[in-house]
Amino acid sequence: YEDKEIMLSQSPELDVDIVPNGVDSEYFGKKITERSKVPIVLYVGNFTWLQNREAVKILVEKVWPKIKSEIKEAKLWIIGKEAEKFFPSLLSNDIKVGEVEDIREVYQESWVLVAPIYGGGGTRYKNFEAFASGLPVVTTSIGIGGTDAKDGEEVIVADESEEIVSRAIELINNSKLSQKIAANALKLVREKYDWDPIALNLSKIYEKLGSLR
């Protein structure tokens, strides 16, 4: 959406359409494991990207210790490409760092995805994958940018670290709220960010372009 606004600010006469990123909701929605019996806070990313490394730094320094102090049995998982390369010192009894063969397992085992992202640009696939997996997400307004997910409906949006902590703890302790957010997010991703509605939208754009020739 921001890219569209920038383009129109430069050339208001342009006819600009948006085709969002998406996810295979059937693939991520297929149940392959059970949710962990102990609360797991998850962060997923490709850590060759600076934004993901910055988010982990904030998560580990400002968010995770406060969650852990309130929920003693909680665990933190930092999963994704090059995780062990960039965060070897974080590995402990309470923090798992590494890559997995099937990312669906960590989404389905976890209790909440916490993504304190402050670097702009693009749409985060981790949001759509979590939505499709039935995992509630706490992230920043930048972290959820480029989607139609609304705070308190399909996602929890918090920009300050203290609020991220409190909202993540709330989701862990309040199963009714967690299930509501997860169900709404799953509905949203199936309606707007699955490959079928995206392909239909793209097809309509091509048809419009063809009629202009």
Side-chain angles (χ1 to χ4, degrees), residues 106-152:
V106 296
Y107 283 122
Q108 292 180 22
E109 289 182 60
S110 300
W111 288 41
V112 60
L113 177 77
V114 178
I117 294 173
Y118 296 94
T123 303
R124 279 73 185 184
Y125 284 104
K126 63 174 68 65
N127 292 329
F128 295 148
E129 291 173 353
F131 290 173
S133 301
L135 179 67
V137 175
V138 178
T139 189
T140 62
S141 53
I142 292 175
I144 201 62
T147 79
D148 289 335
K150 298 180 292 297
D151 179 31

Side-chain angles (χ1 to χ4, degrees), residues 1-10 16:
Y1 298 103
E2 293 85 354
D3 292 339
K4 177 179 179 179
E5 291 174 0
I6 291 170
M7 293 176 71
L8 291 175
S9 70
Q10 299 296 317
V16 181

Side-chain angles (χ1 to χ4, degrees), residues 152-181:
E153 293 296 326
E154 297 89 9
V155 67
I156 298 297
V157 179
D159 287 322
E160 301 298 327
S161 59
E162 290 289 345
E163 187 181 6
I164 293 172
V165 170
S166 65
R167 300 309 299 278
I169 290 173
E170 182 181 12
L171 279 176
I172 291 171
N173 288 333
N174 187 336
S175 60
K176 186 175 182 180
L177 174 63
S178 178
Q179 290 167 11
K180 170 202 162 186
I181 296 294

Side-chain angles (χ1 to χ4, degrees), residues 24-31 102-104 108:
D24 185 340
S25 65
E26 182 177 352
Y27 174 79
F28 279 93
K30 182 179 179 180
K31 188 174 178 62
D102 193 333
I103 195 66
R104 293 177 298 175
Q108 292 180 22

Side-chain angles (χ1 to χ4, degrees), residues 37-57:
K37 293 182 179 180
V38 299
I40 294 173
V41 175
L42 176 67
Y43 188 91
V44 168
N46 177 344
F47 297 107
T48 62
W49 289 92
L50 178 61
Q51 293 97 325
N52 282 320
R53 299 200 300 274
E54 290 176 338
V56 168
K57 186 175 188 294

Side-chain angles (χ1 to χ4, degrees), residues 35-105:
R35 189 161 103 159
S36 168
K37 293 182 179 180
V38 299
I40 294 173
V41 175
L42 176 67
Y43 188 91
V44 168
N46 177 344
F47 297 107
T48 62
W49 289 92
L50 178 61
Q51 293 97 325
N52 282 320
R53 299 200 300 274
E54 290 176 338
V56 168
K57 186 175 188 294
I58 295 167
L59 178 60
V60 169
E61 292 181 357
K62 297 183 177 181
V63 176
W64 168 245
K66 295 176 182 177
I67 294 176
K68 182 65 175 176
S69 69
E70 292 290 325
I71 305 174
K72 306 297 184 184
E73 69 274 23
K75 306 289 184 182
L76 173 63
W77 287 3
I78 300 170
I79 306 296
K81 185 177 180 180
E82 304 287 7
E84 291 183 70
K85 173 183 175 181
F86 287 105
F87 311 112
S89 64
L90 296 180
L91 188 61
S92 69
N93 289 335
D94 292 324
I95 303 179
K96 176 179 178 179
V97 177
E99 299 183 47
V100 293
E101 288 188 9
D102 193 333
I103 195 66
R104 293 177 298 175
E105 292 185 3

